[in-house]
Amino acid sequence: MSKLVYNEMLKIVRKKRLWVIAAIIAVLVALFTYAQYRETEELRKRLGTTDWRTQLQQQIVDLQNRLQSPSMSEEWRKYLQIRLKQQQYYLEHNINPSAPGAPTFMRTFIENAIDLFLPLLVMVVAADLVSSEASAGTIKLLLVRPVKRWKILLSKYIALLLSVSLIMLMAAVLSYAISGLVFGYGGFRLPLLTGFVPQGEDLNTANVHMIPQWKYILIELGLAAFVSVVVGTLTFMFSVLLRSTAAVMGIMLAALISGAILSNMVSSWHSAKYLFMVNLRLTDYIKGAAPPIEGMTLGFSMAVLAVWGLAGLLVAFFVFMRRDVY
Amino acid sequence: MTKQVTLAVKELRKTIRGKEIIKGISFELHEGEVFGFLGPNGAGKTTTIRMLVGLIRPTSGTVAICGYDLHRQFTDAIRQIGCIVENPEMYPYLTGWENLEHFARMMPGIGADRIMEVAKLVGLEQRIHDRVGTYSLGMRQRLGIAQALLGKPKVLILDEPTNGLDPAGIREMRAFIRFLAETEGLSVLVSSHLLSEIQLMCDRVAIMAKGRLLAVDTVERLLNQQARVVWKAAPTDRARALLAAETEVLRADEETIVTPYEPSRLAAWNAKLVQAGVSVSEIEPRLPTLEDLFIELTGGETIE
């Protein structure tokens, strides 16, 4: 089995997929670092000070002003009210929620990358794992060896899991290393609050507690890895079902993007919460942001994702084992 | 035939979406022989070959390789087979050596020495460490054979092995296939849609059309049954009448007359024509074209 996995990793590496992914991460992280830097500068200019307390107070005033506007959807108002409560809590407890530093950048990067960017990178590897062998015809040479079909597919899936781990590692290391050049490398011990539970319009702060930022980042990385594995598994399934890598990419991209759009408009369509693509923002539960549909929790979302992933894996193996290869 | 049977196919059938593509095929391959699989495009050759190597699951029927059932003892059975199905697609971003290494990892007990051995056998040792993307079609074809031979198979299955090769390459390939059968004792199954090719390298041949085997026999016997003689003689109508008295005239037009080929009587027929004052300018024995064979065997049905 390890020889088969070695074969699959060799092919992924020699196709230079992982280098492309590393390059994409590096370029985008540099871009975001610069954007973040400009935003901090802008804020500093506007407020005339870099004191975060003033900044936070300013943000709270901003929020309060926006809440007074009458032409606002009920949903948005609810969200802003929750944010307001959260920020007031930070101020009262003397905690800087966005203390600059590479770890903070890394944290926000993961939070923003979890539902689209990281899954996209995983797709770059997963989309052509099987479909490229089918379209190039090399699948025939693979399947006429004295190895059972399920072992061949399993070796590919293990190679995918290894690649996902590598991608997560690259995202973490590159975002830390590159943003640190600008923001400095300190800030792992910064205490952060978690445990906010949005309940309707209220923010339940009963379970709020403090954890150091490094722990927070580890939790988020774990959640991001979970999301990436599920999206990778579904992509893998389509890669088995379809010969065209472009079609696999197209379907998965459409699903991911529709998820991002749906999250903003499905609050009254309750059964939409069983779609995998509206459940991708797992880090929001840690942050305490309102879920797209009332009643969704971290456990619920992870269960939905796990079911989708398992179903995808079953379909992939079932089809691959029985299919006639032309 | 006392030689060992290496591949036995019994009543193989395949139905795809309610349409029967392969309609009950049975044949056997013996040790050390080159077996030709002849048929026009669309006859079901490739589908049959894919069933022989486990890429397609037959609807019914069995395939046994050296006594192992392909379906029930897949790994034992497939270990005895080396094959190229259609074009030998390799990974273009890997070198020839890495490609062979990749497949060697999927088979037990195949090491670097065996890889070098097959690379030498197909004459690729000079370029084996270059990327396959830079290979010519002929070199890829040879690399394809190298991967098929890697596991020391008893049965070699080659689908259209001379496709896309130049004349020199075709001749080389034929000699190589003969060598594998005669010297190494392999059973080689070669499919082709060209009669001339099969005729030059096969011991036995199966003719396939529309999902059925029409005939399985040695090449000479099949061809001699159907061989023709084309006469050019003037005056044509006189020659035709004389020949008709001796044998069957199959076809005739203003210039030529076609009769069956009977080598022992040819000289006598010619003497008759000459004695009757007919000037014979050409007597040409002609082997049947594939199309003739099919028309003969299918009783006038055309090739699909």
Side-chain angles (χ1 to χ4, degrees), chain A residues 7 14 133 145 324 326, chain B residues 14 50 91 98 105 147:
Chain A
N7 270 349
R14 294 298 298 273
E133 303 250 15
R145 306 294 151 189
D324 287 345
Y326 291 97
Chain B
K14 179 67 183 178
R50 281 165 196 239
Y91 301 103
E98 284 170 324
R105 279 190 210 100
Q147 65 77 29

Side-chain angles (χ1 to χ4, degrees), chain A residues 233-254:
Chain A
T233 306
L234 290 171
T235 314
F236 186 69
M237 175 192 78
F238 282 114
S239 186
V240 169
L241 295 178
L242 304 169
R243 259 168 173 256
S244 151
T245 305
V248 176
M249 279 292 226
I251 290 174
M252 284 310 292
L253 260 182

Side-chain angles (χ1 to χ4, degrees), chain A residues 118-132:
Chain A
L118 289 174
L120 200 74
L121 295 181
V122 171
M123 279 165 55
V124 171
V125 173
D128 76 343
L129 266 185
V130 183
S131 63
S132 70

Side-chain angles (χ1 to χ4, degrees), chain B residues 78-94:
Chain B
I78 204 79
R79 196 169 291 165
Q80 319 294 333
I81 283 192
C83 66
I84 303 180
V85 181
E86 283 178 325
N87 307 312
E89 292 98 349
M90 299 284 180
Y91 301 103
Y93 47 85
L94 300 179

Side-chain angles (χ1 to χ4, degrees), chain B residues 196-256:
Chain B
S196 57
E197 190 174 290
I198 293 288
Q199 190 186 339
L200 283 167
M201 65 178 155
C202 296
D203 302 308
R204 286 197 306 145
V205 59
I207 295 185
M208 186 167 191
K210 296 181 179 174
R212 267 185 237 280
L213 282 192
L214 303 176
V216 183
D217 212 335
T218 61
V219 177
E220 298 80 43
R221 237 180 295 169
L222 270 177
L223 290 181
N224 285 340
Q225 267 172 28
Q226 323 287 346
R228 305 271 182 277
V229 184
V230 180
W231 304 78
K232 273 192 188 163
T236 315
D237 34 348
R238 192 114 153 257
R240 185 181 168 177
L242 284 163
L243 282 171
E246 295 295 323
T247 180
E248 186 189 358
V249 172
L250 298 161
R251 219 167 42 227
D253 55 34
E254 276 121 61
E255 283 177 33
T256 59

Side-chain angles (χ1 to χ4, degrees), chain A residues 19-32 109 117-118 121 166-172 174-175 178:
Chain A
W19 292 115
V20 170
I21 289 171
I24 294 174
I25 296 176
V27 169
L28 285 196
V29 164
L31 215 66
F32 296 149
F109 176 68
F117 183 55
L118 289 174
L121 295 181
L166 266 173
I167 291 169
M168 300 311 297
L169 193 71
M170 287 197 291
L174 286 174
S175 64
I178 294 174

Side-chain angles (χ1 to χ4, degrees), chain A residues 3-4 6-8 10-12 14-15 132-133 136-149 152 156 243 321-326, chain B residues 14 16 47 50 53-57 74-75 78-79 81 83 85-91 93-95 98 101-103 105-108 131 147:
Chain A
K3 281 184 176 177
L4 295 182
Y6 180 91
N7 270 349
E8 296 308 322
L10 174 78
K11 284 183 259 181
I12 292 174
R14 294 298 298 273
K15 273 192 270 187
S132 70
E133 303 250 15
T138 46
I139 190 82
K140 289 178 291 190
L141 291 178
L142 273 187
L143 294 183
V144 297
R145 306 294 151 189
V147 177
K148 294 228 165 70
R149 281 194 187 187
I152 290 174
K156 283 187 176 289
R243 259 168 173 256
M321 304 234 334
R322 316 205 71 220
R323 181 163 55 192
D324 287 345
V325 177
Y326 291 97
Chain B
K14 179 67 183 178
I16 298 173
T47 308
R50 281 165 196 239
V53 297
L55 288 174
I56 296 182
R57 193 185 291 237
F74 177 75
T75 44
I78 204 79
R79 196 169 291 165
I81 283 192
C83 66
V85 181
E86 283 178 325
N87 307 312
E89 292 98 349
M90 299 284 180
Y91 301 103
Y93 47 85
L94 300 179
T95 67
E98 284 170 324
E101 230 176 9
H102 171 273
F103 294 118
R105 279 190 210 100
M106 305 183 75
M107 294 178 268
R131 279 195 326 117
Q147 65 77 29

